[in-house]
Amino acid sequence: MRLYRAVLLRSFQSNTAYRAETVMKFFFSLLQILIQTSIWIALYGRDNVHSSSVGDVSLREMLTYTILGICVQIVVGNDIIWRLGSKIQSGEIASDLIKPIPFARFMFAESGGQTLFRIVFEMVPIVAFGFFAYGLLFPSAADLGLFLLCLLNGIALYYLMSFIVGLFAFWYMVYWHSGSLFHVVMSLFSGSMLPLWFFPESFIRVAQFLPFQLVFYGPISVFVGKTTFLETLRLVGMQFVWIAILSFGLKWVWSKAWRKLVIQGG
Amino acid sequence: MSYISVEGLTKRFKRQVRRTGSMGAFKDFVAPRYEQKDAVNEVSFSIDKGEIVGYIGPNGAGKSTTIKMMVGILVPTSGTVTIGGLVPFENRLENSRRIGVVFGQRTQLWWDIPVIETYKLMQYIYKIPKVRFEHNIRQFADILGIDEFVNTPVRQLSLGQRMRADLCAALLHDPEIIYLDEPTIGLDVDVKERVRGFIKEVNRSRETTVILTTHDTSDLDKLCSRVMVIDQGTLMYDGDLDYLKKNYSGHDILTVETENELPDGLLAGRFGDAFTREGRKCHVRVSPETDSSAECIAWFLGSATVKDIQIRQTEIDEVIRNLYGSFKETERGS
Amino acid sequence: MHGIRLYLRFVIIYLKTKIEYDHFFVFMDLVLNSIWPLVNLTMLWIMLDRFGQIDGWDFDQLMFLFNLSHMAYLVCAVIIWNPTREMQELVRSGGFDAYLIRPIHPLAHLIMRQFSHGHFFGLVVSVSILIYNVNRLQLDVTIGSVAWFLSIVIGGALIYSAYMLVCGTLSFWIVKTESVYELVVDNLRGITEFPLTIYNKTVKAILLFVVPYGFVNYVPASGMFFPESSPWPEVVRLLATPVLGAVLFGSALLFFRIGMKRYQSTGS
């Protein structure tokens, strides 16, 4: 446990060296907020609320959703696919696996350090900005607690998904293709920028079965208070189910990858 | 007037000195400190048309910096460079038309497509007349054997093939000077031979001036009669290669295998303590000041039945070290 | 010009060789470059299906706006994306030297050696979207309007190229320019995917007068769809984009020359 904490801290520290880049990334996110909120304000026009599959949604709720979307992106986001991909392509993965440390957890700790850094130096300023500039809505204590639980699950889910996609590099070297495809699917079905409640009926029905919306749309709806308690429970349940499915999936892909590495040399 | 004329050439670089510690990083950002370094210091030489000159020195000695200034990529801090009457960095376009450059480690060929297409690109860039272009390709193909892979994408070539293709690319436009930077590095012996033969032939038939940077002693032996040695920005030697080797060589190592084991006493009598023996093999360190490999071999032939002889000659780095050592001594003396 | 004919010849040979040796990867590049704009348009469609319009622009008009920016970008990216992005590495490793020893402008040489087939596929998709779009909007297709449209696209491409070149040229001074490149070339451009009227005055001013991406798509398109409410006189709407493009690109070339001089005096 202490090892992972050390890895996490080291990863956090190494990010402090890139000051200029941190500032840049903050501006990227700020720009995203600006664009998204402007779009929603324009869409709403003179209306204060708009109908959706979950009833009326006010502009303020929508703006809160948008800012949360970007925050969750920061918290959940990782560059696992790229790091795994380049490690596999270069063969570095072989030396990583010789070390007597569970690899997946090690990568997670490294990601964790970077995420922690981004939370402190990117997300906190953004939330502050959002609060003062747009009047962010805050949920009740209960909703906040449930949101955090869903968020943690979301982090686990996204990590598992990314790792599996990253492992594809063992078979398909051009890992940025796999990564891109994954991102396409995520942007369509996760609700990271466009909440599912505005989607047409048929679309919602499909999206509900997929695990992608459990990372963004699900938790953020809880935060914004658009779910009933029952619905939230269902959400959490679905998250656990998918975590189980993906964990098994990961183990399976991993064993196949390991075999390929050992037999063919990667 | 010699063709290449370099006079008092100096290049000074400003490097930021980085301080340590967390306050250091802050100070570096707010008030950076710099130091001056002379990569090339008052270098002068002249080269005539058609010479093949070896330009050698340890890594970081200033070789590439000098060459960059001659090629026109870098602007000198002071001093002059004149090539065929032109100042390179002031006449980049004109100068570029007369030179060819081969980088040993980097290819200048277009990676994804067949070699011949890069040649056609060169034809366009250098405005080579069609007849001349075809003549050159045919001639180079003969000597370097490029035909077999001229239609293959560059990324699929072996190192030897790539180097030959690069060499050809550099000479298509009949440059008056070619700069070769480690052209035989990593190549097989037979390819090295071919490359050296090619360079010699081009120099002979077209009077192309060749400036060669290399760490390979055989390259120098087989190609250059004249050698310039640079170390720490200063030109330390400019002259005959044989003279350099004779006077600054370190020890040759002579390995002689005899039919019967020779007694140590006998060997000690001739070589003192400058030998070791493993069974029937004798290793002798030959000091050029007092002895020569030839004389040692003669002694062996006269003293025993010799089955095999091997001579390991001095490496260039050792020559330079010795040169530097004696240079320092002369300085101290004067 | 002979050079352009040669470049086109190389492009064809490049594509042929790539397809011959790498056909699956090329196919994937085609797929991925086609998917992204379609995904973005799908999202746009969903939003407008619910809300009807953004600031008076309907779905087809927004699609036109989006596609115009995209097309101009792809036209310039096909030629100049690889060269400007590579500059950071070339300057850092000293590989740029190889471009200084040729009797040809290093930028021309860099362009000659690259061709971004990914962006080219995206361009094909973009043109298809344009055709579909023009049909739906029932726009007049005359020689005059086509000529004007081409001038806008080329002018827009020049504007984008200018900024890409400037960001690439920064490599002569700054070591890590990737973030700046991304910010200026990708993120700021993202703002213009929607009509500039939805943003506040500062942003609008920046995108019209500091980094005039607004002239690539917004000014021409708004002039076309809403000529009465446009603050720009007709002359501006017709000519501003190509003129601005030429001027900015020319300036960027001068800046590149300054960068080159610096490289030559300080080495790498």
Side-chain angles (χ1 to χ4, degrees), chain B residues 126-188:
Chain B
Y126 289 97
K127 302 192 171 70
I128 308 173
K130 189 166 158 80
V131 176
R132 186 74 195 153
F133 178 70
E134 283 169 6
H135 169 261
N136 281 346
I137 295 235
R138 233 175 307 128
Q139 188 183 48
F140 298 161
D142 279 338
I143 311 180
L144 287 173
I146 298 187
D147 277 336
E148 39 183 68
F149 53 83
V150 80
N151 285 307
T152 320
V154 173
R155 55 149 58 148
Q156 306 204 327
L157 298 179
S158 70
L159 183 62
Q161 291 171 322
R162 226 191 58 205
M163 178 50 64
R164 286 185 273 159
D166 259 313
L167 207 46
C168 178
L171 287 159
L172 277 174
H173 60 284
D174 297 314
E176 287 160 16
I177 312 177
I178 49 169
Y179 297 87
L180 303 172
D181 180 30
E182 307 272 3
T184 61
I185 198 167
L187 297 179
D188 294 333

Side-chain angles (χ1 to χ4, degrees), chain A residues 21 39 50 172 177 198, chain C residues 24 28-29 50 176 179 194:
Chain A
E21 265 188 53
I39 295 174
H50 204 92
Y172 185 68
H177 281 171
F198 285 135
Chain C
F24 183 66
M28 284 304 288
D29 279 330
R50 276 281 175 182
K176 280 207 126 210
S179 308
F194 291 91

Side-chain angles (χ1 to χ4, degrees), chain B residues 11-13 15 68 71-76 89 92-94 96-97 99-101 103 106-114 117-118 120-122 124-127 151-153 155-156 169-170 173, chain C residues 1-4 6-7 9-11 13-15 17-18 21-22 90 93-106 109 111-115 257 260-268:
Chain B
K11 183 63 187 172
R12 188 163 297 142
F13 284 118
R15 284 281 129 85
K68 281 187 191 176
V71 163
I73 297 175
L74 205 55
V75 175
F89 58 89
R92 194 183 71 80
L93 287 181
E94 184 64 42
S96 304
R97 286 198 193 102
I99 65 175
V101 182
F103 298 105
R106 281 195 291 255
T107 182
Q108 297 185 67
L109 305 166
W110 192 341
W111 197 243
D112 284 305
I113 62 176
E117 295 302 330
T118 304
K120 293 195 184 145
L121 181 65
M122 296 293 135
Y124 167 73
I125 291 179
Y126 289 97
K127 302 192 171 70
N151 285 307
T152 320
R155 55 149 58 148
Q156 306 204 327
H173 60 284
Chain C
M1 234 188 47
H2 183 41
I4 298 183
L6 195 76
Y7 178 63
R9 224 196 70 147
F10 283 124
V11 166
I13 292 174
Y14 172 83
L15 282 173
T17 315
K18 261 245 145 44
Y21 287 91
D22 272 342
L90 279 176
S93 69
F96 191 68
D97 290 345
Y99 292 90
L100 284 170
I101 59 171
R102 307 277 183 204
I104 190 178
H105 193 280
H109 194 189
I111 289 176
M112 279 254 160
R113 303 188 77 152
Q114 335 260 1
F115 176 75
R257 187 156 266 245
M260 243 172 55
K261 286 249 144 41
R262 178 169 204 270
Y263 183 81
Q264 286 179 283
S265 65
T266 60
S268 51

Side-chain angles (χ1 to χ4, degrees), chain A residues 176-249:
Chain A
W176 54 91
H177 281 171
S178 325
S180 260
L181 270 173
F182 179 60
H183 280 132
V184 166
V185 174
M186 276 301 282
S187 36
L188 272 174
F189 293 107
S190 68
S192 57
M193 286 189 285
L194 191 55
L196 256 55
W197 60 58
F198 285 135
F199 280 37
E201 267 296 315
S202 41
F203 213 91
I204 301 181
R205 245 175 284 147
V206 173
Q208 296 244 343
F209 283 107
L210 299 169
F212 311 111
Q213 49 99 358
L214 298 171
V215 180
F216 283 93
Y217 171 70
I220 301 180
S221 327
V222 173
F223 187 95
V224 179
K226 285 296 169 195
T227 52
T228 66
F229 187 66
L230 226 58
E231 286 170 336
T232 312
L233 279 185
R234 248 194 80 214
L235 174 68
V236 175
M238 281 280 282
Q239 286 182 322
F240 281 128
V241 167
W242 273 103
I243 289 179
I245 295 177
L246 287 170
S247 302
F248 278 119

